[in-house]
Amino acid sequence: MARPRILVVGAGFAGVACVRRLERKLEPGEAEISLVTPFSYQLYLPLLPQVASGVLTPQSVAVSLRRSRKHRTRIIPGGAIGVDPKAKICVIRKITGEIVDQPYDYIVLAPGSVTRTFDIPGLVDNARGMKTLAEAAYVRDHVIAQLDIADASPDEKERAGRLQFVVVGGGYAGTETAACLQRVTTGALRRYPRLDPKQIKWHLVDIAPKLMPELGDKLGATALDILRGRGIEVSLGVSIAKAGPDEVTLTDGRVLPCRTLIWTAGVVASPLVRTFDAETLHGRLVVSPELRVGGLDGMFALGDAGAVPDLTKGGDAICPPTAQHAMRQGRTAAENVIATMRRRPLRRYEHKDMGLVVDLGGRDAVSKPMGVELRGLPAQAVARGYHWSALRTNVAKARVLTNWVLNAVAGDDFVRTGFQERKAATLHDFEYTNDYLTADQVREHTRALTVRG
């Protein structure tokens, strides 16, 4: 009898947690486990702002997938671009560009999310995101390049444009990115004596009326005061009306000379969820408390891709797309796949949110662990302690801790790698959002397979 084929899509928090639990709980030879991911690492996404600011090296937050003690999973190097639930086939574009078809008996969809964009003129071509390791490395190179060019330029107008930076999005990613990078450019003044401190300006823009509303009014106001106290201009109730290569127009009519627009205004589920017919809620697949996609045999969805009911809150609440939920959902999905195989009852996913941590760089932070509001060094200790403990391998923990100590002692370096110096850097380039098939294309593809077979 053929062994069941389990396919996990995505190597984020949810996908990796699922694979690790499958490897631990399944007997050797009980099932075939495959993981689809373009990279052989799990990205620790919450620390990307520290990569962009140079506090951490890229390798520090790229946790190897091949350091598992029971590494029995076949890693398929590519991205899932379509799923046919009826034929039970996942269409994969390998990193070579080759299209392959992966049959499955059980599929766990954890493809993560992509940057949410709107129909704003010039946005996609002129904004940089902060969703991938390559984007974080590019943003760092780009910001340092602006300092280098401005330092060498005799043109005051060009210098003003090069030294003005705009971050859109007042959530965790945008706030931490603006805070960490602003700290770098402020520290750069010692290394760039020709730069005028008054010309270096950071803007944080968000259409919402509050900064990080999940923190609550008190801590949100504290974070706002910290940012403004450091010279960051925070504009709430405002967004981008138009983006150009050398200026940004805000919805309140202001035109800012700017060569650096960083877009972190939310995320949407991976386009993979639109490649087959299933019910969605706010772009995420509707699933049961057991993480099953209704009406589709053998399919589970979780993390950013699944609208998982939040049983602790009740009602119509769904779990927020956070790392702590994703990891626990991954373990629950693995248990339920195994239970389905062994014809046992399935578990419902239930977890109470443990709180939030926001690292603003240096000694600045705000945190709310288990409902306790903290700020300053205590909040920083909690934030970094949480991130450090959540890293999956001891090697990653050692790298991150070493980088933190080195940065605290030696300060920042202003080195550009230059590996993407002359390449256009659009959101589509980094997140491959144009690679996905439509539902009709997937059905036609699998129908052709049947005919050939």
Side-chain angles (χ1 to χ4, degrees), residues 1-2 4 26 30 88 105-106 292 297-298 300 334-347:
M1 183 177 177
L26 287 171
E30 187 176 357
K88 287 196 168 184
D105 297 298
Y106 305 96
R292 302 183 72 166
D297 181 50
F300 298 79
E335 297 282 358
N336 286 344
V337 168
I338 295 170
T340 304
M341 289 170 47
R342 297 174 180 172
R343 302 184 184 279
R344 295 176 180 173
L346 274 60
R347 279 179 48 196

Side-chain angles (χ1 to χ4, degrees), residues 125 128 138 420-426 429-430:
D125 292 329
R128 279 81 182 170
Y138 180 90
Q420 289 177 318
E421 189 172 355
R422 296 181 180 272
K423 177 179 170 56
T426 68
D429 289 333
F430 281 119

Side-chain angles (χ1 to χ4, degrees), residues 390-413:
L391 290 164
R392 193 170 52 83
T393 68
N394 290 331
V395 171
K397 290 179 180 179
R399 285 194 179 115
V400 166
L401 185 59
T402 301
N403 284 177
W404 279 339
V405 172
L406 184 61
N407 182 260
V409 172
D412 299 310
D413 283 321

Side-chain angles (χ1 to χ4, degrees), residues 49 115-116 118 120 123 127-130 165-179 202-214 224 227 232-240 250 261-267 358 360:
T115 300
R116 178 181 62 184
F118 301 96
I120 299 173
L123 176 64
R128 279 81 182 170
M130 278 291 291
F165 308 89
V166 178
V167 179
V168 183
Y172 303 111
T175 301
E176 291 187 335
T177 297
W202 280 85
H203 300 264
L204 179 59
V205 176
D206 197 298
I207 195 65
K210 296 181 181 179
L211 191 70
M212 295 182 291
E214 299 88 344
L224 185 60
L227 297 181
I232 299 175
E233 184 173 332
V234 182
S235 300
L236 300 175
V238 178
S239 189
I240 299 294
L250 303 183
L261 172 60
I262 302 173
W263 180 266
T264 66
V267 295
V358 183
L360 300 175

Side-chain angles (χ1 to χ4, degrees), residues 369-404:
M370 307 301 292
V372 179
E373 296 186 348
L374 300 172
R375 56 188 58 79
L377 283 177
Q380 180 70 280
V382 169
R384 294 202 171 184
Y386 172 80
H387 291 316
W388 185 83
S389 63
L391 290 164
R392 193 170 52 83
T393 68
N394 290 331
V395 171
K397 290 179 180 179
R399 285 194 179 115
V400 166
L401 185 59
T402 301
N403 284 177
W404 279 339

